[in-house]
Amino acid sequence: MKYDRIYNFSAGPSMLPLPVLEEVHEELFNYRGSGQSVMEMSHRSKVFQGIHDEAKADLRALMGIPENYKILFIQGGATLQFSMIPMNLKKNGVFDYVVSGSWSNGAAKEAARFGKVNVVANSKDRNYAYVPDVSDLPISEDADYLYICENETIYGTTYQELPNTKGKILISDQSSMFLSKPVKVSDYGIIYGGVQKNVGPAGMAIVIIREDLIREDIDESVPVYLRYHVQDKGDSMYNTPNCWAIYFCGKVFKYLQSIGGLEAVHKNNVEKAKPLYDFLDQSKMFKGTVDKKDRSLMNVPFVTGDEELDAKVVAATKAAGFENLKGHRTVGGLRASIYNAMPKEGVVALVEFLKDFEAKHG
Amino acid sequence: MKYDRIYNFSAGPSMLPLPVLEEVHEELFNYRGSGQSVMEMSHRSKVFQGIHDEAKADLRALMGIPENYKILFIQGGATLQFSMIPMNLKKNGVFDYVVSGSWSNGAAKEAARFGKVNVVANSKDRNYAYVPDVSDLPISEDADYLYICENETIYGTTYQELPNTKGKILISDQSSMFLSKPVKVSDYGIIYGGVQKNVGPAGMAIVIIREDLIREDIDESVPVYLRYHVQDKGDSMYNTPNCWAIYFCGKVFKYLQSIGGLEAVHKNNVEKAKPLYDFLDQSKMFKGTVDKKDRSLMNVPFVTGDEELDAKVVAATKAAGFENLKGHRTVGGLRASIYNAMPKEGVVALVEFLKDFEAKHG
């Protein structure tokens, strides 16, 4: 590949679009005649305000975000959102969670600091290899919201249909599927995602929040940085934001629009994942770990069923220049994360390699 | 200047060392043969772990940080530390603050969410134009700590002597003076700073904390991201950190060591600020706003005493290619922030310009 770059199958941070890296490289010392790197700009300057406003407008256009939703750029990753959501949305102090893997489980555990958590469905019985049926959940009558993690990075599952929330607010962690396909924003109260999987450099989450959920009258004990009202009033600049991530993500929004928007991105992702899933479905050595109906287009875990052989495959992929294919310890085996910026050729090359490996060692 | 760069007098984010930007530029597509940009690296990979460990070791060497202090890289800027400090250090729930300007005031207000705040000294009477006498403060008997902001960015004051804490733990916000001079770390319980003024790209604070202040047994209601114990146990990687900022700051640590360490940096800063203060002391048009004894080497506010003339000067500096000299609204006039990366030539050029302006309009 250009610049001797590798195929990086990391679950995140992971590959970023090369055309965006090239623009950033070009502008590094002097952003468009401003005489400064974006890393050196006052966040209160006109030039940075322009970058920030453009990023928001481009994301709004790309996702079709209605006017009654705000876009916030907040540091601290998804982890800080695990706390901010219950702290800011608490009314009755009852929070409903679907636990379909590690991240929704982590979010539910964190919410329990701030109220009563009801796990209304979970898929622990088969090591989170599927998404629970969410068509008729026992939603709590006084639930402040229903929470899901829409794509579980570690287990490689994704929701095909959104839950029937029975009128409650739906909150979705889309970290590992953010901008991978079109979504209907108005179905949600909050969509959020850490940017480091599918969008930009680590150190920021994007929070898309319906404006009526931004309340000033929350508990006095909620730290100032964690208040959506403060973040919104300051237009994500109550204090100095992660300017570099805002700049970089803004470029990615433009890039995705330029290649046809999220419909085209989704089509690419479907076509890109297909050779890998097709291979797994006919292989005698490798097997996908997720129920077919719930397979993620972003994270593809698979195993041989033999830990020693798994380790051998991982070592062989690494030696062949495919990076970060070792599966998470809770699933074992291998995991190929194939986010937007992974080219189809990367997946095809991996499949060829695995075929070859199977032919030699099968 | 090289690459048509300007002299940027912003209070932060602000100028960064060009040799560091040049290295970053060189490594952008492919960090040292890894085939990836640092922005694309898994934070759990060996190559990033190396960058992280090296950054910590280099900062420890540069500042002479004793072994019983931990170095944490935490998102959310100084603002999140305003909350984390009282939340994590609370025992009696009594917090003593010296209020010498906007930032210590903001920190004190935030701490009041979590306990009783005693302002043991303040310099509000003369619009924070000096640092209060801290040689014999009325420290609360049951204070959990004494807090100072050691360099007030907006008012341009800096402590010449540390307070007599009477045995209490000293906490210092060093954001706008971080790495500008040698400090004796063992005098403090915590030193912290947002990196975007003197070190690296915005989106991270560095927290240097004595290890006995890191407690697991704090209130259950403290969010997981805000717990020093969690941040420390995870070696700043409980969740994905701001990898880019860690990488960049690491390079700055090495760069500062290469030019002679913090003694040399301080000498540069003294020599660099001198022409500006000398000019202000003899000017009939411009006047520094801070008591001489408490002047900051980093932030230099000055006024003409006439708001219209101030605005005219600001406009003229901008037209001449000096950026971000407008003073903060609470002080008015002008402010030149001259952090480590501002070259002496920049200050000299500004002084020449101001002399000229005075000659023409005086």
Side-chain angles (χ1 to χ4, degrees):
Chain A
M1 270 204 293
K2 208 171 166 186
Y3 312 111
D4 283 325
R5 287 163 55 79
I6 52 156
Y7 294 123
N8 176 7
F9 293 88
S10 166
S14 196
M15 292 183 82
L16 295 168
L18 189 54
V20 169
L21 287 171
E22 284 175 327
E23 278 184 42
V24 165
H25 189 254
E26 175 69 29
E27 294 170 352
L28 198 83
F29 297 115
N30 186 340
Y31 175 79
R32 301 186 187 178
S34 67
Q36 315 153 63
S37 175
V38 173
M39 287 182 271
E40 303 176 298
M41 283 179 187
S42 167
H43 59 299
R44 307 285 181 207
S45 65
K46 253 189 212 158
V47 55
F48 185 75
Q49 188 69 54
I51 291 170
H52 180 251
D53 291 348
E54 213 170 304
K56 286 202 305 174
D58 286 339
L59 181 61
R60 195 174 288 279
L62 185 65
M63 290 183 69
I65 300 172
E67 282 307 314
N68 64 325
Y69 284 74
K70 297 296 187 83
I71 299 169
L72 305 175
F73 300 125
I74 305 179
Q75 298 174 54
T79 300
L80 198 60
Q81 295 310 310
F82 290 0
S83 317
M84 285 180 69
I85 289 161
M87 290 176 106
N88 281 274
L89 270 61
K90 184 174 183 171
K91 277 183 178 167
N92 301 320
V94 177
F95 314 129
D96 282 4
Y97 281 73
V98 177
V99 172
S100 59
S102 302
W103 297 110
S104 44
N105 190 41
K109 279 171 83 170
E110 180 63 12
R113 294 187 191 278
F114 313 107
K116 182 169 166 27
V117 169
N118 292 317
V119 175
V120 291
N122 82 74
S123 50
K124 205 180 166 187
D125 60 333
R126 286 199 288 115
N127 199 31
Y128 303 113
Y130 66 101
V131 173
D133 180 355
V134 291
S135 58
D136 184 21
L137 296 166
I139 304 280
S140 310
E141 213 168 289
D142 49 354
D144 290 328
Y145 58 80
L146 173 67
Y147 181 104
I148 62 172
C149 174
E150 209 167 329
N151 188 88
E152 283 279 359
T153 324
I154 290 176
Y155 296 94
T157 58
T158 204
Y159 282 68
Q160 309 301 323
E161 303 263 343
L162 291 181
N164 175 357
T165 68
K166 303 181 180 176
K168 302 297 181 191
I169 299 157
L170 180 63
I171 313 288
S172 177
D173 174 1
Q174 293 195 346
S175 297
S176 48
M177 59 171 275
F178 200 74
L179 303 184
S180 69
K181 65 169 195 180
V183 296
K184 195 176 161 204
V185 175
S186 60
D187 285 342
Y188 303 83
I190 299 176
I191 293 173
Y192 78 92
V195 300
Q196 76 277 9
K197 294 169 187 297
N198 222 2
V199 198
M204 193 170 83
I206 298 176
V207 179
I208 300 162
I209 179 169
R210 215 174 63 206
E211 56 190 6
D212 61 292
L213 303 179
I214 300 174
R215 286 163 44 213
E216 191 170 1
D217 65 327
I218 61 172
D219 201 278
E220 261 308 306
S221 68
V222 178
V224 63
Y225 191 83
L226 276 63
R227 304 171 88 88
Y228 287 131
H229 178 77
V230 169
Q231 293 287 354
D232 174 44
K233 210 174 149 196
D235 193 16
S236 306
M237 298 211 246
Y238 170 76
N239 68 339
T240 320
N242 185 335
C243 301
W244 183 249
I246 293 172
Y247 160 72
F248 197 103
C249 291
K251 285 195 179 290
V252 172
F253 305 153
K254 274 197 203 301
Y255 171 72
L256 296 180
Q257 198 66 276
S258 79
I259 60 171
L262 297 185
E263 289 285 358
V265 168
H266 184 229
K267 194 165 161 281
N268 286 347
N269 286 330
V270 170
E271 284 169 10
K272 193 167 73 187
K274 190 172 186 307
L276 181 51
Y277 281 122
D278 283 353
F279 166 71
L280 293 174
D281 287 342
Q282 61 75 48
S283 168
K284 296 205 162 40
M285 180 180 273
F286 299 102
K287 192 169 78 64
T289 58
V290 171
D291 289 8
K292 280 191 188 181
K293 69 175 177 55
D294 296 329
R295 282 172 167 175
S296 167
L297 295 177
M298 298 285 105
N299 311 99
V300 184
F302 54 100
V303 296
T304 64
D306 170 347
E307 280 184 34
E308 262 181 56
L309 185 56
D310 284 343
K312 209 170 146 183
V313 186
V314 171
T317 56
K318 199 175 164 71
F322 303 100
E323 277 292 333
N324 296 310
L325 278 159
K326 188 167 189 280
H328 192 271
R329 65 180 188 286
T330 50
V331 181
L334 294 90
R335 173 178 47 168
S337 291
I338 49 176
Y339 296 118
N340 286 350
M342 168 64 70
K344 188 173 176 186
E345 302 83 72
V347 179
V348 170
L350 174 65
V351 168
E352 287 309 310
F353 179 86
L354 294 172
K355 265 187 196 158
D356 215 55
F357 187 94
E358 181 168 353
K360 281 186 189 139
H361 303 83
Chain B
M1 268 203 296
K2 207 170 165 187
Y3 312 112
D4 282 325
R5 286 163 56 80
I6 52 156
Y7 295 124
N8 176 7
F9 293 89
S10 166
S14 195
M15 292 184 81
L16 295 168
L18 189 55
V20 169
L21 287 170
E22 284 176 327
E23 276 184 43
V24 165
H25 189 253
E26 174 69 28
E27 294 170 351
L28 198 83
F29 298 116
N30 186 340
Y31 175 81
R32 302 188 185 177
S34 68
Q36 313 153 65
S37 175
V38 173
M39 289 183 270
E40 303 176 298
M41 282 178 189
S42 168
H43 59 300
R44 307 284 181 207
S45 64
K46 253 189 213 160
V47 57
F48 184 75
Q49 187 69 53
I51 290 171
H52 180 252
D53 292 347
E54 213 170 305
K56 285 202 306 174
D58 286 339
L59 180 61
R60 194 173 289 279
L62 186 64
M63 291 184 68
I65 301 172
E67 281 307 313
N68 63 326
Y69 284 74
K70 298 295 187 85
I71 298 168
L72 305 175
F73 300 124
I74 304 179
Q75 297 173 54
T79 300
L80 198 59
Q81 295 310 309
F82 290 0
S83 317
M84 285 179 70
I85 288 161
M87 290 175 106
N88 281 274
L89 268 61
K90 185 175 182 169
K91 278 185 177 166
N92 301 320
V94 177
F95 314 129
D96 282 3
Y97 280 73
V98 177
V99 172
S100 58
S102 302
W103 296 110
S104 42
N105 190 40
K109 279 170 84 170
E110 180 64 11
R113 294 188 190 279
F114 313 108
K116 181 169 168 25
V117 168
N118 293 318
V119 175
V120 290
N122 81 75
S123 50
K124 205 181 167 185
D125 60 333
R126 286 198 290 116
N127 200 29
Y128 304 114
Y130 65 101
V131 173
D133 180 355
V134 291
S135 58
D136 184 21
L137 296 166
I139 305 280
S140 311
E141 211 168 293
D142 50 354
D144 289 330
Y145 58 79
L146 173 67
Y147 181 105
I148 61 172
C149 174
E150 208 166 330
N151 187 89
E152 282 280 358
T153 324
I154 290 176
Y155 295 95
T157 58
T158 204
Y159 282 68
Q160 308 303 324
E161 303 264 342
L162 291 181
N164 175 356
T165 68
K166 302 181 180 176
K168 302 297 181 193
I169 299 158
L170 181 63
I171 314 288
S172 178
D173 173 0
Q174 294 196 343
S175 296
S176 49
M177 59 172 276
F178 200 73
L179 302 185
S180 69
K181 66 170 195 178
V183 295
K184 195 176 159 204
V185 176
S186 60
D187 285 342
Y188 303 84
I190 299 177
I191 293 173
Y192 77 91
V195 300
Q196 76 278 8
K197 293 171 189 295
N198 223 1
V199 199
M204 192 170 83
I206 298 176
V207 179
I208 300 162
I209 179 169
R210 214 173 63 205
E211 57 190 6
D212 61 292
L213 303 178
I214 301 173
R215 286 163 42 213
E216 190 170 3
D217 65 328
I218 60 171
D219 201 276
E220 261 308 306
S221 68
V222 178
V224 63
Y225 191 83
L226 276 63
R227 304 171 87 89
Y228 287 131
H229 178 77
V230 169
Q231 293 288 354
D232 174 45
K233 210 174 147 194
D235 193 17
S236 306
M237 297 212 246
Y238 171 75
N239 67 339
T240 319
N242 185 335
C243 301
W244 183 250
I246 293 171
Y247 160 72
F248 197 103
C249 291
K251 284 194 180 293
V252 173
F253 305 152
K254 272 197 203 304
Y255 170 71
L256 296 180
Q257 199 64 277
S258 79
I259 60 171
L262 297 185
E263 288 285 358
V265 168
H266 184 230
K267 192 164 164 280
N268 286 347
N269 286 330
V270 170
E271 284 169 11
K272 193 167 73 187
K274 191 171 186 307
L276 182 51
Y277 280 123
D278 284 351
F279 165 71
L280 294 174
D281 287 343
Q282 62 74 48
S283 169
K284 297 206 162 36
M285 180 179 274
F286 300 102
K287 191 168 79 64
T289 58
V290 172
D291 290 6
K292 280 191 190 181
K293 68 175 179 53
D294 296 330
R295 282 171 167 177
S296 167
L297 295 177
M298 299 284 105
N299 312 100
V300 184
F302 55 100
V303 296
T304 64
D306 171 347
E307 279 186 34
E308 263 181 56
L309 186 56
D310 284 343
K312 210 170 143 182
V313 186
V314 171
T317 55
K318 201 176 163 69
F322 302 101
E323 277 292 334
N324 297 310
L325 277 160
K326 188 167 190 281
H328 192 271
R329 66 179 187 286
T330 50
V331 181
L334 293 91
R335 174 178 45 169
S337 292
I338 50 176
Y339 297 119
N340 286 351
M342 167 65 70
K344 188 174 177 186
E345 302 84 70
V347 179
V348 170
L350 174 65
V351 168
E352 286 311 309
F353 179 86
L354 294 172
K355 266 187 198 161
D356 215 54
F357 187 94
E358 182 168 353
K360 281 186 190 138
H361 304 82

